[in-house]
Amino acid sequence: MIEKIKAAANFIKERFDKKIDLAIILGSGLGELAEKVKKPVIIPYNQIPDFPVSTITGHKGRLVIGELKEKTVLCMQGRIHYYEGYDMKKVIFPIYVIRSLGIEKLIITNAAGGTSYDYAPGDLMLITGHINNTGVDPLRGDNLDEFGPRFPDLTTVYNKEFIKLTEEVAKELKIEIKKGIYCGNSGPTYESPAEIKMMKSWGANAVGMSTVPEVIAAAHCGMKVLGISCITNFAAGITDKPLTHDEVIETTNQTKNKFIKLISEVIKRI
Ligand code: HPA
């Protein structure tokens, strides 16, 4: 895996060789932020050796590297998910590639379902912690010693300073932002109402099908993470309404301006 990570990183370095300040993973429907990048170098995932390619509507599948708010950023416009059938090593591969480019800061975004009326469609939620309910640890198997320890610690991965900064920025911009726990499930089936009841009792405020594997890998290689969920729907059983991917995309479309405004200012100051 190390060789493959290095080959993918070198492929990117050949196309963009300046220092990159931070990376951003843009979730379902949130990819538009990448369109704001100036002088972009665009690299489709399918051109990068061994890089996984996303198959989902609303995910473009390319790196957009360039200037955004006086910072040099690498945007992952679309990500891949465990439910697409990739094994976890493939899901976390991009994180190690990003780390190999010397990047230490990661903003990670997703669409998620809210497990109560306090986390409603259109809300933004700062992730303060997660529950890995995918059924696997993405680091199972040989440890990549070059990147981090066999038994990584997750205590501080959701960086407290990043959270504080984002709260300050949100206040200044008069954007309401919540804080909460994200429970990552494997998908692709939405959770059942009974499962949502259980996850809520565990302390989950939002549920989704991404982020947790990538954050674990980021913690492994010593990165600082800011996680933001865009609540796109009430999780199953909170209302009687059935869940659809169309609703997820529709809500991100309605929320993305607020999201872009917030993230842009955070990028400037992070
Ligand atoms: N559950 C899981 N993943 C999701 C949801 C949800 O309710 N909404 C958006 N992604």
Side-chain angles (χ1 to χ4, degrees), residues 54 103 137 176 196:
S54 59
I103 304 170
D137 190 309
E176 200 199 337
I196 291 299

Side-chain angles (χ1 to χ4, degrees), residues 83 96 110 151 191 193 196 224 253 255-256:
Y83 64 71
Y96 292 104
N110 59 50
F151 302 108
E191 304 74 17
I196 291 299
K224 292 180 183 171
N253 276 333
T255 317
K256 68 187 174 197

Side-chain angles (χ1 to χ4, degrees), residues 111-114 190-191 207-209 232-236 243 248:
Y190 288 115
E191 304 74 17
V207 293
M209 304 175 193
T232 52
N233 56 282
F234 286 119
L243 273 52
V248 170

